[in-house]
Amino acid sequence: MAVLLIRIEDTASLALNEFFDFNGRCYALAGSRAAEQREHLRMEEFYEATMDTEVLEDIPVFFVTGEGEEVTVLGWYKRASVSGKIQSPSLFLEGNVSAAAADAVLLPEKDRTCSLRWQRPGQYYDVAEEEDMRSAQLLRLLERAPENNAFLRYAFTPVKLDQRLLKQPAVCLQYCGQLAQVLLQDQCRDISEIKLLEQYAKRMTEKRKQDPDGYYYHALACCHLGFFREGIRSVQKALELEPEAADLKALKGMLLAEKGYYRDSAACLQEAYEKTGEEEYLLLQGRVCALAGQMDKAYECFARVKDKTLLETAGIRLKEMEKRWSFADLLSFRRKSRKKKTE
């Protein structure tokens, strides 16, 4: 049995990436999360796969950390689905490896004592086949599960709601706003802060049914937890109360994208952009078009972004996209762009 090893650049990412419970599943990237250039997993490196293989099932995956030849095991997925291509289960999460949250084991720091040799300097993943001594060493870890699993799934993440806060809806909503700000700035420490936001906001939708803020905060938390059905219901209710709010339109667009309604999603994000002129919405619209496979429309959105640092941060390179187009198509797009500017 082949074993996939993934080297983690920053262990701080574990709680909100590799071991994040996204509606019952976890996603890992066999590559760099920091680098702009994403490297696809080469499936032919598995004996049972070829270049044409798209997915392998039930592959044990181990996560390790360390800069030199010796690395330490952090945790594992007992059985994972391994894909040659990088998948985007959401606009904020990506990976070419996924597993049920129930199959994810994150070792407590005191139990991270298993060391092995890393044989691919400068690489982020390796494949150990049966004859590789590391394979037997790692598979033995699966046989004796640790007493404590440091990975907490959403349902088992302990959060305590302050009953005094719940009795003060206005103050509670202010606290939800603080939690939402932490989430939007990508500063959450782990899933517990997102769960707190979801739980408090849900209570506020019950106490202040005519206040759109509670519905917005609940939908925002649901979007990041993978609870799309509940999120769409909440954001729709918020829009009924505040139909012109651009941030609500954008959030609805993100939730629709997660469900695969790309055309409706792009329309929501375009409307949010038209209302505010904020190029982040244009960037999101381009990403939605790319998810839908409409690369021409994605390029058009990205090319309209004036703040190029937004594109750089998102790892979007227009020149690389242009290489995949025919000259005629690209020329046609530029003609149309110039015509719109002169009208």
Side-chain angles (χ1 to χ4, degrees), residues 56-73:
L56 285 174
E57 301 289 352
D58 298 328
I59 302 296
V61 178
F62 287 82
F63 299 91
V64 301
T65 187
E67 294 296 328
E69 293 183 355
E70 186 173 288
V71 293
T72 303
V73 176

PDB file of all heavy atoms in Angstrom, residues 56-73:
ATOM      1  N   LEU A  56      -7.176   8.651  -6.674  1.00  0.00           N
ATOM      2  CA  LEU A  56      -6.932   7.395  -5.972  1.00  0.00           C
ATOM      3  C   LEU A  56      -7.644   7.458  -4.629  1.00  0.00           C
ATOM      4  O   LEU A  56      -7.618   8.487  -3.950  1.00  0.00           O
ATOM      5  CB  LEU A  56      -5.430   7.176  -5.737  1.00  0.00           C
ATOM      6  CG  LEU A  56      -4.583   6.758  -6.946  1.00  0.00           C
ATOM      7  CD1 LEU A  56      -3.115   6.735  -6.556  1.00  0.00           C
ATOM      8  CD2 LEU A  56      -5.019   5.394  -7.470  1.00  0.00           C
ATOM      9  N   GLU A  57      -8.283   6.355  -4.237  1.00  0.00           N
ATOM     10  CA  GLU A  57      -9.034   6.337  -2.991  1.00  0.00           C
ATOM     11  C   GLU A  57      -8.318   5.523  -1.918  1.00  0.00           C
ATOM     12  O   GLU A  57      -7.483   4.669  -2.218  1.00  0.00           O
ATOM     13  CB  GLU A  57     -10.437   5.761  -3.235  1.00  0.00           C
ATOM     14  CG  GLU A  57     -11.268   6.530  -4.245  1.00  0.00           C
ATOM     15  CD  GLU A  57     -11.733   7.885  -3.733  1.00  0.00           C
ATOM     16  OE1 GLU A  57     -11.534   8.155  -2.530  1.00  0.00           O
ATOM     17  OE2 GLU A  57     -12.280   8.681  -4.533  1.00  0.00           O
ATOM     18  N   ASP A  58      -8.669   5.814  -0.670  1.00  0.00           N
ATOM     19  CA  ASP A  58      -8.203   5.056   0.498  1.00  0.00           C
ATOM     20  C   ASP A  58      -6.681   5.048   0.646  1.00  0.00           C
ATOM     21  O   ASP A  58      -6.072   4.026   0.965  1.00  0.00           O
ATOM     22  CB  ASP A  58      -8.733   3.615   0.450  1.00  0.00           C
ATOM     23  CG  ASP A  58     -10.256   3.566   0.487  1.00  0.00           C
ATOM     24  OD1 ASP A  58     -10.845   4.443   1.126  1.00  0.00           O
ATOM     25  OD2 ASP A  58     -10.834   2.653  -0.121  1.00  0.00           O
ATOM     26  N   ILE A  59      -6.062   6.180   0.400  1.00  0.00           N
ATOM     27  CA  ILE A  59      -4.614   6.325   0.559  1.00  0.00           C
ATOM     28  C   ILE A  59      -4.309   6.910   1.942  1.00  0.00           C
ATOM     29  O   ILE A  59      -4.827   7.985   2.290  1.00  0.00           O
ATOM     30  CB  ILE A  59      -4.028   7.249  -0.523  1.00  0.00           C
ATOM     31  CG1 ILE A  59      -4.338   6.705  -1.930  1.00  0.00           C
ATOM     32  CG2 ILE A  59      -2.531   7.424  -0.332  1.00  0.00           C
ATOM     33  CD1 ILE A  59      -3.691   5.379  -2.232  1.00  0.00           C
ATOM     34  N   PRO A  60      -3.471   6.253   2.759  1.00  0.00           N
ATOM     35  CA  PRO A  60      -3.055   6.860   4.024  1.00  0.00           C
ATOM     36  C   PRO A  60      -2.161   8.077   3.742  1.00  0.00           C
ATOM     37  O   PRO A  60      -1.269   8.007   2.898  1.00  0.00           O
ATOM     38  CB  PRO A  60      -2.262   5.746   4.720  1.00  0.00           C
ATOM     39  CG  PRO A  60      -2.638   4.487   4.008  1.00  0.00           C
ATOM     40  CD  PRO A  60      -2.937   4.889   2.595  1.00  0.00           C
ATOM     41  N   VAL A  61      -2.416   9.159   4.439  1.00  0.00           N
ATOM     42  CA  VAL A  61      -1.657  10.391   4.237  1.00  0.00           C
ATOM     43  C   VAL A  61      -1.101  10.851   5.585  1.00  0.00           C
ATOM     44  O   VAL A  61      -1.846  10.969   6.561  1.00  0.00           O
ATOM     45  CB  VAL A  61      -2.542  11.507   3.636  1.00  0.00           C
ATOM     46  CG1 VAL A  61      -1.737  12.793   3.475  1.00  0.00           C
ATOM     47  CG2 VAL A  61      -3.104  11.070   2.294  1.00  0.00           C
ATOM     48  N   PHE A  62       0.199  11.110   5.631  1.00  0.00           N
ATOM     49  CA  PHE A  62       0.849  11.556   6.859  1.00  0.00           C
ATOM     50  C   PHE A  62       1.399  12.964   6.664  1.00  0.00           C
ATOM     51  O   PHE A  62       1.970  13.274   5.616  1.00  0.00           O
ATOM     52  CB  PHE A  62       1.969  10.600   7.264  1.00  0.00           C
ATOM     53  CG  PHE A  62       1.463   9.288   7.802  1.00  0.00           C
ATOM     54  CD1 PHE A  62       1.081   8.269   6.942  1.00  0.00           C
ATOM     55  CD2 PHE A  62       1.350   9.082   9.168  1.00  0.00           C
ATOM     56  CE1 PHE A  62       0.601   7.071   7.427  1.00  0.00           C
ATOM     57  CE2 PHE A  62       0.868   7.883   9.673  1.00  0.00           C
ATOM     58  CZ  PHE A  62       0.498   6.872   8.798  1.00  0.00           C
ATOM     59  N   PHE A  63       1.246  13.771   7.689  1.00  0.00           N
ATOM     60  CA  PHE A  63       1.733  15.153   7.661  1.00  0.00           C
ATOM     61  C   PHE A  63       2.953  15.259   8.558  1.00  0.00           C
ATOM     62  O   PHE A  63       2.946  14.786   9.704  1.00  0.00           O
ATOM     63  CB  PHE A  63       0.629  16.105   8.130  1.00  0.00           C
ATOM     64  CG  PHE A  63      -0.589  16.051   7.260  1.00  0.00           C
ATOM     65  CD1 PHE A  63      -1.627  15.180   7.561  1.00  0.00           C
ATOM     66  CD2 PHE A  63      -0.685  16.831   6.122  1.00  0.00           C
ATOM     67  CE1 PHE A  63      -2.749  15.102   6.754  1.00  0.00           C
ATOM     68  CE2 PHE A  63      -1.802  16.763   5.313  1.00  0.00           C
ATOM     69  CZ  PHE A  63      -2.838  15.892   5.617  1.00  0.00           C
ATOM     70  N   VAL A  64       3.998  15.866   8.015  1.00  0.00           N
ATOM     71  CA  VAL A  64       5.255  15.960   8.751  1.00  0.00           C
ATOM     72  C   VAL A  64       5.756  17.400   8.720  1.00  0.00           C
ATOM     73  O   VAL A  64       5.317  18.212   7.895  1.00  0.00           O
ATOM     74  CB  VAL A  64       6.325  15.017   8.153  1.00  0.00           C
ATOM     75  CG1 VAL A  64       5.856  13.573   8.168  1.00  0.00           C
ATOM     76  CG2 VAL A  64       6.687  15.447   6.726  1.00  0.00           C
ATOM     77  N   THR A  65       6.681  17.702   9.618  1.00  0.00           N
ATOM     78  CA  THR A  65       7.290  19.029   9.626  1.00  0.00           C
ATOM     79  C   THR A  65       8.776  18.883   9.879  1.00  0.00           C
ATOM     80  O   THR A  65       9.236  17.920  10.500  1.00  0.00           O
ATOM     81  CB  THR A  65       6.653  19.925  10.706  1.00  0.00           C
ATOM     82  OG1 THR A  65       7.160  21.258  10.583  1.00  0.00           O
ATOM     83  CG2 THR A  65       6.955  19.410  12.110  1.00  0.00           C
ATOM     84  N   GLY A  66       9.556  19.842   9.390  1.00  0.00           N
ATOM     85  CA  GLY A  66      11.010  19.805   9.544  1.00  0.00           C
ATOM     86  C   GLY A  66      11.676  20.384   8.317  1.00  0.00           C
ATOM     87  O   GLY A  66      11.196  20.187   7.194  1.00  0.00           O
ATOM     88  N   GLU A  67      12.778  21.066   8.499  1.00  0.00           N
ATOM     89  CA  GLU A  67      13.462  21.734   7.395  1.00  0.00           C
ATOM     90  C   GLU A  67      14.505  20.848   6.721  1.00  0.00           C
ATOM     91  O   GLU A  67      14.715  20.922   5.525  1.00  0.00           O
ATOM     92  CB  GLU A  67      14.141  23.015   7.905  1.00  0.00           C
ATOM     93  CG  GLU A  67      13.161  24.083   8.374  1.00  0.00           C
ATOM     94  CD  GLU A  67      12.282  24.600   7.250  1.00  0.00           C
ATOM     95  OE1 GLU A  67      12.756  24.645   6.097  1.00  0.00           O
ATOM     96  OE2 GLU A  67      11.135  24.970   7.519  1.00  0.00           O
ATOM     97  N   GLY A  68      15.192  20.013   7.488  1.00  0.00           N
ATOM     98  CA  GLY A  68      16.283  19.221   6.924  1.00  0.00           C
ATOM     99  C   GLY A  68      15.865  17.832   6.496  1.00  0.00           C
ATOM    100  O   GLY A  68      14.729  17.595   6.074  1.00  0.00           O
ATOM    101  N   GLU A  69      16.794  16.886   6.610  1.00  0.00           N
ATOM    102  CA  GLU A  69      16.523  15.514   6.185  1.00  0.00           C
ATOM    103  C   GLU A  69      15.631  14.770   7.170  1.00  0.00           C
ATOM    104  O   GLU A  69      14.977  13.798   6.803  1.00  0.00           O
ATOM    105  CB  GLU A  69      17.838  14.749   6.023  1.00  0.00           C
ATOM    106  CG  GLU A  69      18.707  15.259   4.876  1.00  0.00           C
ATOM    107  CD  GLU A  69      19.957  14.431   4.702  1.00  0.00           C
ATOM    108  OE1 GLU A  69      20.195  13.528   5.525  1.00  0.00           O
ATOM    109  OE2 GLU A  69      20.696  14.671   3.730  1.00  0.00           O
ATOM    110  N   GLU A  70      15.608  15.202   8.423  1.00  0.00           N
ATOM    111  CA  GLU A  70      14.787  14.526   9.415  1.00  0.00           C
ATOM    112  C   GLU A  70      13.514  15.328   9.677  1.00  0.00           C
ATOM    113  O   GLU A  70      13.555  16.528   9.905  1.00  0.00           O
ATOM    114  CB  GLU A  70      15.560  14.351  10.728  1.00  0.00           C
ATOM    115  CG  GLU A  70      14.793  13.509  11.758  1.00  0.00           C
ATOM    116  CD  GLU A  70      15.629  13.196  12.980  1.00  0.00           C
ATOM    117  OE1 GLU A  70      16.554  12.370  12.864  1.00  0.00           O
ATOM    118  OE2 GLU A  70      15.358  13.782  14.045  1.00  0.00           O
ATOM    119  N   VAL A  71      12.372  14.628   9.617  1.00  0.00           N
ATOM    120  CA  VAL A  71      11.080  15.287   9.835  1.00  0.00           C
ATOM    121  C   VAL A  71      10.321  14.543  10.927  1.00  0.00           C
ATOM    122  O   VAL A  71      10.601  13.379  11.224  1.00  0.00           O
ATOM    123  CB  VAL A  71      10.246  15.338   8.541  1.00  0.00           C
ATOM    124  CG1 VAL A  71      10.904  16.249   7.517  1.00  0.00           C
ATOM    125  CG2 VAL A  71      10.036  13.944   7.967  1.00  0.00           C
ATOM    126  N   THR A  72       9.334  15.204  11.504  1.00  0.00           N
ATOM    127  CA  THR A  72       8.536  14.657  12.590  1.00  0.00           C
ATOM    128  C   THR A  72       7.080  14.554  12.171  1.00  0.00           C
ATOM    129  O   THR A  72       6.548  15.479  11.537  1.00  0.00           O
ATOM    130  CB  THR A  72       8.645  15.551  13.837  1.00  0.00           C
ATOM    131  OG1 THR A  72      10.013  15.685  14.202  1.00  0.00           O
ATOM    132  CG2 THR A  72       7.868  14.955  15.009  1.00  0.00           C
ATOM    133  N   VAL A  73       6.433  13.459  12.501  1.00  0.00           N
ATOM    134  CA  VAL A  73       5.034  13.241  12.138  1.00  0.00           C
ATOM    135  C   VAL A  73       4.123  14.085  13.024  1.00  0.00           C
ATOM    136  O   VAL A  73       4.215  14.049  14.254  1.00  0.00           O
ATOM    137  CB  VAL A  73       4.662  11.754  12.266  1.00  0.00           C
ATOM    138  CG1 VAL A  73       3.171  11.552  11.976  1.00  0.00           C
ATOM    139  CG2 VAL A  73       5.499  10.914  11.311  1.00  0.00           C
TER     140      VAL A  73
END
